[in-house]
Amino acid sequence: MTIKRALISVSNKEGLLHFAEKLAHHGVEIISTGGTKKALQDAGIPVIGISEVTGFPEIMDGRVKTLHPKIHGGLLAVRDNETHRTAMHENEISPIDLVVVNLYPFKETIAKEGTTFADAIENIDIGGPSMLRSAAKNHAYVTVVVDPADYESVAGELDGAGAVSEETRRRLAAKTFRHTAAYDALIAEYLTAAVEEEHPESYTVTYEKKQDLRYGENPHQKAAFYSTPLKNTLSLTDAEQLHGKELSYNNINDADAALSIVKEFVDPAVVAVKHMNPCGVGTGSTILEAYTRAFEADPVSIFGGIIAANTEIDEETAQKLSEIFLEIIIAPSFTEKALEILTKKKNIRLLKLDFTEGTGIAKKITTVSGGMLVQEEDVYGLDDANVTIPTKRQPTEQEWKDLKLAWKVVKHVKSNAIVLAKDEMTVGVGAGQMNRVGAAKIAIEQAGERAQGSALGSDAFFPMDDTVEAAARAGVTAIIQPGGSIKDEDSIKKADEHGITMVFTGVRHFKH
């Protein structure tokens, strides 16, 4: 389709003048509004004001300017329909062949600190989406552009063929409807949150592509990485990659799991993750102490794993990290010497992420066949729990420290989950088993002699006393679990029989 007449109205002026000059060179008549019109005029590009076309002034502070039959008739008319052509002739409507519009910056407005509700509402575009949808619907005759990145391809086709191909018009129409759908989804999300509607009758969200991935979970699966437009939680999408090749699908999943654990800690902490489960967690007075304990927790599984640290990586720690193969290291920062050491390993990925950003509660979306599940992120901590101690013996100060560590970590282990902790580190992790005693046996076997004097954390209650019995045989002295089983008394008696102190939290942490 040849382009004789274009309507341009953009908030993003990037590349605009060069593109408009191209259109003018091809003899295209340009219609424009407001600031766009002024920018074109200042550049010496011939332009017609919207009011000259409609015969009606822009009113209500510009809220009403393009919502007019002479605009939408020119966009929606089916050019080879006799009735439409007659209506255009009778009403002095000329066709519009190209629409270049991007919308009021709603996302940028609500992202600003201190934005009022009134400011947000004022930045909801009405005329822009209407023109875009009209043009995209009628893409058999109209070319529609919402992204400055598409200026070059459209101009190239005009230079080469003097017209825009049907394939390009259809591709741009699809992109336009994605654009307006995303815009509306963001508005809907903002207003839904404003009225505190938790689970509306329809759930509209939008994501922006961050990167294409080489493949998904396996090489035969296609994949891409998307991020939410606005984030209020600690997010891997905000990380700055300092070194290494692109992240893979599995890297991203594992790194996200590591972040979700390490953000539980205030003191220096290091988390090692493999296949979305922690294989070692350590804390200490320094990041080196924390890493040493995370490594010693499971020196076999950490190989090829993901490391997340909540404080700066220094030279000493970097030297230790460089001694084994790791896929990713995530930290708030790296010293210059640490970077010098770690960047010598070409296959390692180094990610810098500000841990002070994003303290909100995220919505977790899980897809199922034909649908999805939505829930709040599990941020329930021990300080929120109604803690009781039903056993005869109270925990010692050291046992409390170990219990708290086990409880923080077990929340992030696939159910059924058991974690053993001792002296500021995990010593055994049993993940994803079909029964709880099976998970306990794995954690105990991994801990070996280190199970003596350790604390055991369970993500859910004990349906019978067999887990307590297994823990006692291994030398566990303290247990933390939700409680709430009809056979709680059996577990309490078994704990008392072996001198084990047991804490009930009243809350479970299933993770499927």
Side-chain angles (χ1 to χ4, degrees):
M1 295 296 296
T2 57
I3 295 176
K4 297 179 180 178
R5 205 161 182 245
L7 194 158
I8 304 178
S9 180
V10 294
S11 56
N12 178 4
K13 306 295 192 295
E14 179 190 348
L16 170 67
L17 298 181
H18 179 69
F19 183 55
E21 285 171 354
K22 282 273 189 182
L23 295 177
H25 174 73
H26 284 281
V28 177
E29 181 181 73
I30 298 174
I31 305 164
S32 192
T33 65
T36 305
K37 179 189 172 189
K38 184 178 186 306
L40 295 173
Q41 285 177 327
D42 289 348
I45 298 169
V47 59
I48 300 170
I50 199 81
S51 296
E52 296 176 58
V53 176
T54 63
F56 202 89
E58 296 183 24
I59 61 172
M60 301 177 184
D61 299 318
R63 281 192 169 201
V64 179
K65 52 192 174 189
T66 60
L67 297 169
H68 194 280
K70 288 199 173 183
I71 300 301
H72 287 273
L75 293 173
L76 286 166
V78 176
R79 310 299 164 80
D80 52 4
N81 181 302
E82 185 61 37
T83 304
H84 287 203
R85 287 204 305 269
T86 300
M88 291 177 74
H89 177 72
E90 290 176 350
N91 292 282
E92 299 180 340
I93 296 171
S94 298
I96 298 172
D97 310 304
L98 170 67
V99 170
V100 183
V101 168
N102 47 60
L103 308 175
Y104 293 173
F106 182 79
K107 181 180 80 170
E108 292 77 9
T109 299
I110 62 174
K112 292 176 186 172
E113 192 173 341
T115 294
T116 65
F117 185 77
D119 287 339
I121 296 303
E122 198 58 36
N123 276 277
I124 295 176
D125 203 328
I126 301 301
S130 299
M131 287 190 291
L132 288 175
R133 288 171 58 84
S134 293
K137 174 178 178 174
N138 205 28
H139 66 269
Y141 307 96
V142 182
T143 302
V144 56
V145 179
V146 294
D147 185 351
D150 293 311
Y151 291 167
E152 188 176 343
S153 64
V154 171
E157 290 197 23
L158 289 176
D159 287 341
V164 180
S165 67
E166 181 180 6
E167 181 184 1
T168 297
R169 294 197 308 275
R170 186 170 293 182
R171 176 178 62 81
L172 292 174
K175 186 173 187 176
T176 295
F177 278 115
R178 291 195 302 271
H179 184 75
T180 57
Y183 191 79
D184 284 343
L186 200 58
I187 295 167
E189 190 176 353
Y190 175 82
L191 292 175
T192 300
V195 297
E196 300 181 345
E197 186 85 52
E198 279 195 23
H199 300 121
E201 74 291 339
S202 61
Y203 197 81
T204 53
V205 291
T206 185
Y207 293 86
E208 298 169 349
K209 188 159 78 171
K210 186 172 176 66
Q211 69 187 85
D212 287 309
L213 302 174
R214 285 183 297 156
Y215 53 81
E217 212 161 6
N218 298 290
H220 57 271
Q221 295 171 273
K222 295 178 181 178
F225 185 26
Y226 289 80
S227 68
T228 54
L230 299 171
K231 290 174 284 294
N232 65 347
T233 60
L234 188 65
S235 172
L236 192 66
T237 59
D238 293 325
E240 178 187 357
Q241 186 163 347
L242 305 178
H243 178 71
K245 59 186 178 182
E246 284 189 350
L247 299 175
S248 71
Y249 181 97
N250 292 331
N251 288 158
I252 292 166
N253 261 333
D254 285 342
D256 184 64
L259 281 177
S260 68
I261 303 170
V262 82
K263 72 180 183 181
E264 296 270 359
F265 297 91
V266 176
D267 294 333
V270 171
V271 174
V273 163
K274 201 77 170 288
H275 301 300
M276 294 185 68
N277 278 305
C279 56
V281 178
T283 62
S285 58
T286 67
I287 201 65
L288 179 59
E289 278 187 0
Y291 170 68
T292 301
R293 288 173 177 141
F295 175 82
E296 291 174 352
D298 188 347
V300 175
S301 298
I302 197 173
F303 185 85
I306 310 290
I307 293 290
N310 64 352
T311 56
E312 183 175 69
I313 300 294
D314 57 24
E315 181 181 358
E316 280 187 292
T317 309
Q319 190 59 55
K320 288 290 185 183
L321 288 163
S322 70
E323 292 173 2
I324 62 170
F325 169 61
L326 295 168
E327 289 275 4
I328 299 173
I329 300 172
I330 310 166
S333 58
F334 299 78
T335 67
E336 190 175 327
K337 282 287 187 182
L339 280 176
E340 187 179 318
I341 292 166
L342 292 170
T343 52
K344 289 177 182 176
K345 299 173 75 72
K346 69 174 186 177
N347 289 327
I348 198 169
R349 297 140 169 115
L350 304 179
L351 302 181
K352 179 182 174 183
L353 180 62
D354 186 351
F355 279 55
T356 64
E357 294 292 327
T359 57
I361 300 175
K363 292 283 188 183
K364 306 292 277 186
I365 298 175
T366 304
T367 58
V368 296
S369 183
M372 71 176 187
L373 297 167
V374 181
Q375 66 172 348
E376 287 182 345
E377 182 183 13
D378 184 0
V379 296
Y380 200 101
L382 201 57
D383 291 340
D384 306 308
N386 181 23
V387 172
T388 58
I389 302 169
T391 51
K392 293 176 182 178
R393 189 170 74 80
Q394 298 283 310
T396 66
E397 184 179 345
Q398 182 58 49
E399 284 173 334
W400 264 121
K401 289 180 180 178
D402 295 338
L403 287 167
K404 288 176 180 179
L405 177 58
W407 187 244
K408 284 178 179 178
V409 176
V410 79
K411 178 168 80 172
H412 301 279
V413 179
K414 297 284 187 180
S415 300
N416 287 316
I418 296 289
V419 169
L420 300 187
K422 182 181 178 181
D423 299 332
E424 295 193 76
M425 61 188 279
T426 56
V427 294
V429 178
Q433 298 306 298
M434 285 64 73
N435 63 76
R436 195 151 303 281
V437 72
K441 286 177 179 177
I442 291 172
I444 289 165
E445 182 181 353
Q446 184 190 21
E449 293 182 0
R450 296 181 299 179
Q452 288 284 339
S454 68
L456 179 150
S458 174
D459 66 328
F461 63 61
F462 298 153
M464 51 193 70
D465 63 7
D466 51 3
T467 302
V468 180
E469 180 63 42
R473 287 197 301 270
V476 170
T477 62
I479 292 173
I480 187 167
Q481 57 126 327
S485 168
I486 59 174
K487 292 188 176 182
D488 272 349
E489 197 57 41
D490 292 348
S491 292
I492 295 166
K493 286 180 180 177
K494 186 65 70 174
D496 283 335
E497 180 184 323
H498 292 283
I500 293 173
T501 180
M502 187 155 60
V503 175
F504 282 0
T505 63
V507 62
R508 75 182 190 202
H509 286 302
F510 277 163
K511 184 177 175 65
H512 290 91

